[in-house]
Amino acid sequence: MKQVRWGILSTAKIAQNELIPAFKRAANAKVTGIATSSGIEKAKAVAEQFDIEKTYDSYEKLLDDPEIDGVYIPLPNHLHKKWVMEAARKKKHILCEKPAALNAEDVLEMKQVCEEEGVLFMEGFMYYFHPQHKRVREIIESGEIGEVKFIRSAFSFNLAQKENNIKMIPEKGGGSIYDVGCYSIHAIRNILQAEPNTVHVHAVKDPEYQVETDVVSYLTFPGGVRAVFDVSFGLSKRSEYEVIGTEGRIMVPRAFRPDWFGGDGIIVVEKGNFSKTETISVGTDQYRNEVEHISHAILDKYSLKDLEHDFENTVNNAKVLDACFKSIELEKKINV
């Protein structure tokens, strides 16, 4: 099978722990090179660990390599826009970690450049490629839980090390909303297949670092559907959502990180006094699925709109993130 030749922009932990191994598991992708801006020895060490052929002491040198077809960007959030646009102008396809950028205006600029240069871009919401979410949609569409009226989502973990942690630096896109809140917003929107009318966010900010560490948000959607999400850097690990209808409810306790539990998804459906549990165990390598999807799109020359996770989805998620931050700033409900 033909493989897309990928380059990695930085030696970030998520690249080493999750994505480079996923690229190695993928049938249609290969990591050809890795670049760093903090000394070539670091890139060489990672390259040796993962059997990567090429190393570069700058991102520009990797982008100039004609033997690289696409780049994965796991850089800090505030650098996504710059390097997505640089990569697009070098005709490289792009898989970029979430959030795509720090606001919707920047995402729209990125979209324009990618369209002009004819390259594919996909935001790295890996959870979206786990089959449990398709199954949730099937259950909803079957009418089994009646009409959906409410969704609740939560994503949290206890961030023990705050000092020198990029998640705690506001100017670099730190804070719990960018880090994990974007997942809950994304899941709520995509399960409902609708965009919110309003958001009202209550946030607790760290007094030293001035980023929001704990957030509870209330969203309203067309047709009277409501949603709540809470995210935190100070609570135990949770990665879940719940869909509540007029006749029953669906609980997904491993929504975003089923890999914490070996990869299998779990769906619990309750209706009246009846409860059933489904274990989703086939095709559950969500990072590999993500890599293979965009690599397949590159090989088959998809357009931006043909991606399963397209730019419109990314733009709409960014608009909700913007509204969340405006709500925190003004301490009131905001129209999206």
Side-chain angles (χ1 to χ4, degrees), residues 13-70:
K13 285 184 179 179
I14 190 171
Q16 296 185 53
N17 295 341
E18 308 295 354
L19 267 297
I20 296 176
F23 278 107
K24 292 181 76 69
R25 296 193 300 270
N28 59 356
K30 177 184 179 181
V31 177
T32 299
I34 185 165
T36 179
S37 63
S38 56
I40 191 65
E41 293 307 316
K42 193 170 185 180
K44 286 182 176 179
V46 176
E48 183 177 356
Q49 179 184 353
F50 291 103
D51 193 26
I52 298 171
E53 177 186 351
K54 300 182 179 185
T55 57
Y56 314 80
D57 60 7
S58 74
Y59 304 144
E60 290 90 349
K61 288 179 182 177
L62 184 150
L63 295 178
D64 283 333
D65 189 339
E67 294 186 348
I68 299 292
D69 304 310

Side-chain angles (χ1 to χ4, degrees), residues 295-310:
S295 297
H296 178 70
I298 292 166
L299 292 171
D300 279 15
K301 296 181 170 52
Y302 283 19
S303 70
L304 276 171
K305 63 181 176 58
D306 292 327
L307 284 165
E308 190 169 321
H309 190 275
D310 61 15

